[in-house]
Amino acid sequence: MSVGVFDSGLGGLTVLDAVTKRLPDVPFVYFGDNAHAPYGVRDAEDVYALTKAAVARLWDAGCDLVILACNTASAAALRRMQEEGLPDGKRVLGVFVPLIEALTERDWGDNSPPREVAVKHVALFATPATVASRAFQRELAFRAIGVDVEAQACGGVVDAIEEGDEILAEALVRSHVDALKRKMPDPQAAILGCTHYPLMESTFQAALGPDVKVFSQADLVAESLADYLTRHPDMKGEGTETLFLTTGDPASVSDKATQFLRRKITFQSA
């Protein structure tokens, strides 16, 4: 048994990299649904069906705990999967929770009424599907009041990153930041609401300016997972090595993942 990490493609590797550094003794199984990436342009029903199938595959691989390291999947599928019921002893967690914990400076288990927080103007950069779902705004509203969220759908960024076209990705990021700032000229904080985006964090920060606090997910998720496993040590599993699975071509995905993380990654067919 291991902890499962799921993403539509390679973006979740930013989360995997952070959690393996934070939890070097915990084995992970990474599942990339590269054959169906990107999820950000798919409708909610399609994303739900693909996510449910991927999580089932990770359960088959011996993972009792699965992290949806994909904002689109977290937005479109997580709550529905939890409401429909999970198998006994299985858990699925998303990536919004650590972001909202950090932004509102309160624990997720704090179920007191929503209250005012220091940050009032928040820019959200995410895929078109995540923006359309309004899942981030919905979860934030449970815990904070008086926060203005302006969302920018960042079309094309994931594709450029997956293809390794850094010049195009940087140009697209600057364009999307410009579009956001026309709607919200002075954001106090920015949420990078896609696990691909930490690779472009410096570009986002430069385009937003030094006064905007940028919240990136990978390290936040790693700390949250470490805390969760401290409270639920039985979910760590008994595996001994990290495994990489993909629905795409293993050789091609391995090459791109190796470039992505700048270390040798070898995927197997899912």
Side-chain angles (χ1 to χ4, degrees), residues 9 16 21 74 77 95 110 118 208 249:
L16 181 73
K21 289 175 180 175
S74 293
V95 288
D110 179 354
L208 286 161
D249 175 64

Side-chain angles (χ1 to χ4, degrees), residues 125-126 128 152-182 192 197 200 203-204 207-208:
F125 298 96
Q152 176 65 30
C154 298
V157 175
V158 169
D159 301 88
I161 292 173
E162 291 267 342
E163 293 301 319
D165 192 338
E166 188 173 345
I167 293 175
L168 176 59
E170 289 179 352
L172 288 169
V173 166
R174 288 192 292 268
S175 175
H176 289 307
V177 170
D178 286 344
L180 182 286
K181 293 181 79 172
R182 286 196 291 271
L192 304 189
Y197 297 173
M200 308 303 299
T203 304
F204 275 102
L208 286 161

Side-chain angles (χ1 to χ4, degrees), residues 38 58 81 111 116 123 158 227 257 262:
L58 284 166
M81 290 181 68
N111 291 316
E116 290 195 7
V158 169
D227 176 67
R262 294 181 173 84

Side-chain angles (χ1 to χ4, degrees), residues 5 12-21 28 30 242 244 263:
V5 178
L13 290 173
T14 61
V15 172
L16 181 73
D17 196 43
V19 296
T20 52
K21 289 175 180 175
F28 293 91
Y30 183 88
T242 294
F244 296 87
R263 60 184 174 87

Side-chain angles (χ1 to χ4, degrees), residues 237-250:
E238 299 173 352
T240 58
E241 60 182 356
T242 294
L243 178 67
F244 296 87
L245 302 173
T246 180
T247 57
D249 175 64

